[in-house]
């Protein structure tokens, strides 16, 4: 009688469990290092040189670029323009939250409204900029509509008192659909039992929003606020296309681009870009400290 076959040697499960996740992460990490890590390292190295962006010679200047930035306060005055976009972001989040809440209930043609509201986010930013150039031009679409109510024409993009409000309005129109989709997805993930319990307790729509919807989607609201603050600080596309930074509409990013490509100060522009990155990270971290996410348990 032959003996039973010997069992095959077992593989060390600890090494296998450690190695497998990194195998799946290999390609994403490679892309992250190639398209984020290496460019960031290059940006840091350029910020310590006087490189003009064209010459093969890069002279090391130490912290001179950073000293130049912080001793020229006019370079940071453009941050006040971000305040218009920050106020617009508040209106954008409120509008997106309203539409997401309304469309989460049984509303006629709600799929049509979802598509209409989300469509602007799918349109290329350059195309949006050129469309709204005609919308805001003197005697254009906006002036024509306002003329029906007796309002005279305005220099929407030529008046320093109106230009930033107009540009912020374009950003709200473009990005509101993205926030709405994020909120709508979070609202639809709320268990129906919570709505049923609220209705049994006699809660109306506002009370359901206040006590059920808002607490349940608080992490998504926090994410939208973080994106809004970082976007307001680093806004570029819409004002650059529509005004080029003219008439007191220049943002910090537009100013940085001009330093690099108009004045050939790539080293100084790299330092400015790193300062903006640090400012965005600090504001985001401060926001997380002041308004920490609370884990919501749904039963």
């Amino acid at each position: 009688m032959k003996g039973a076959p010997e069992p095959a040697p077992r593989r060390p499960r600890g090494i296998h469990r450690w190695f497998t996740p990194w195998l799946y992460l290999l390609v994403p990490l490679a892309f992250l290092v190639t398209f984020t890590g290496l460019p960031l390292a290059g940006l840091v190295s350029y910020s310590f040189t006087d490189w003009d962006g064209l010459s093969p010679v890069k002279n090391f200047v130490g912290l001179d670029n950073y000293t130049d930035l912080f001793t020229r306060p006019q370079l940071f005055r453009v941050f006040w323009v971000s305040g218009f976009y920050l106020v617009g972001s508040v209106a954008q989040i409120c509008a997106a939250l309203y539409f997401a809440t309304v469309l989460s209930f049984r509303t006629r043609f709600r799929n049509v409204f979802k598509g209409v509201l989300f469509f602007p986010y799918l349109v290329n930013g350059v195309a949006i900029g050129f469309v709204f150039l005609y919308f805001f031009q003197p005697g254009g679409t906006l002036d024509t509509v306002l003329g029906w109510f007796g309002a005279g024409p305005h220099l929407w993009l030529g008046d320093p008192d109106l230009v930033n409000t107009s540009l912020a309005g374009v950003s709200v129109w473009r990005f509101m659909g993205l926030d709405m989709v994020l909120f709508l997805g979070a609202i639809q993930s709320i268990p129906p039992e919570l709505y049923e319990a609220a209705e049994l307790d006699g809660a109306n729509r506002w009370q359901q929003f206040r006590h059920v919807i808002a607490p349940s989607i608080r992490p998504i609201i926090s994410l939208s606020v973080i994106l809004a603050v970082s976007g307001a600080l680093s806004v570029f596309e819409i004002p650059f296309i529509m005004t080029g930074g003219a008439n007191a509409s220049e943002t910090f990013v537009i100013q940085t681009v001009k330093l690099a490509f108009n004045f050939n100060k790539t080293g100084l522009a790299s330092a400015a870009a790193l300062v903006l990155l640090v400012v965005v990270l600090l504001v985001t971290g401060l926001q997380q400290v002041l308004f920490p996410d609370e884990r919501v348990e749904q039963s």
Side-chain angles (χ1 to χ4, degrees), residues 124-148:
N124 183 271
V126 177
I128 290 177
F130 282 111
V131 167
F132 275 92
L133 276 176
Y134 291 100
F135 181 80
F136 285 119
Q137 71 178 358
T141 305
L142 183 57
D143 282 340
T144 301
V145 173
L146 293 178
W148 298 342

Side-chain angles (χ1 to χ4, degrees), residues 41-271:
L43 189 69
V44 173
S45 65
Y46 297 153
S47 69
F48 294 106
T49 68
D50 63 353
W51 189 39
D52 60 3
L54 299 173
S55 173
V57 179
K58 305 180 185 68
N59 297 315
F60 180 78
V61 296
L63 298 176
D64 288 355
N65 288 326
Y66 296 95
T67 304
D68 192 10
L69 279 177
F70 288 100
T71 54
R72 295 165 63 184
Q74 65 271 20
L75 294 178
F76 290 91
R77 289 174 185 168
V78 293
F79 270 122
W80 75 271
V81 177
S82 298
F84 290 89
Y85 295 92
L86 191 59
V87 173
S89 297
V90 174
Q92 169 186 314
I93 291 174
C94 292
L97 195 55
Y98 170 78
F99 285 115
T101 303
V102 171
L103 295 177
S104 65
F105 297 110
R106 293 184 178 179
T107 307
R108 296 184 63 183
F109 307 112
R110 61 178 179 176
N111 290 331
V112 175
F113 289 119
K114 291 177 187 177
V116 170
L117 293 172
F118 185 65
F119 177 75
Y121 180 71
L122 302 177
V123 181
N124 183 271
V126 177
I128 290 177
F130 282 111
V131 167
F132 275 92
L133 276 176
Y134 291 100
F135 181 80
F136 285 119
Q137 71 178 358
T141 305
L142 183 57
D143 282 340
T144 301
V145 173
L146 293 178
W148 298 342
F149 302 95
H154 297 83
L155 293 175
W156 299 103
L157 301 180
D159 188 347
D161 295 330
L162 296 175
V163 60
N164 290 310
T165 303
S166 303
L167 296 175
V170 177
S171 295
V172 171
W173 179 82
R174 183 186 180 192
F175 293 104
M176 191 268 292
L178 175 62
D179 286 336
M180 183 205 68
V181 169
L182 293 175
F183 294 149
L184 190 60
I187 292 173
Q188 291 177 342
S189 66
I190 299 175
E193 293 81 7
L194 294 180
Y195 293 107
E196 296 174 0
E199 290 178 358
L200 290 175
D201 291 337
N204 55 30
R205 294 300 191 193
W206 164 248
Q207 291 170 334
Q208 290 180 28
F209 170 79
R210 180 181 177 184
H211 298 289
V212 177
I213 294 177
S216 299
I217 66 171
R218 181 174 176 177
I220 303 300
I221 296 176
S222 299
L223 173 63
S224 297
V225 172
I226 291 173
L227 294 176
V229 172
S230 61
L233 292 174
S234 58
V235 64
F236 168 72
E237 194 174 34
I238 294 298
F240 183 76
I241 294 169
M242 296 183 65
T243 64
N247 302 320
S249 65
E250 187 175 63
T251 64
F252 192 82
V253 178
I254 293 178
Q255 180 178 256
T256 302
V257 170
K258 288 183 177 180
L259 285 174
F261 297 102
N262 291 9
F263 301 103
N264 295 327
K265 295 183 178 180
T266 303
L268 183 61
S270 300

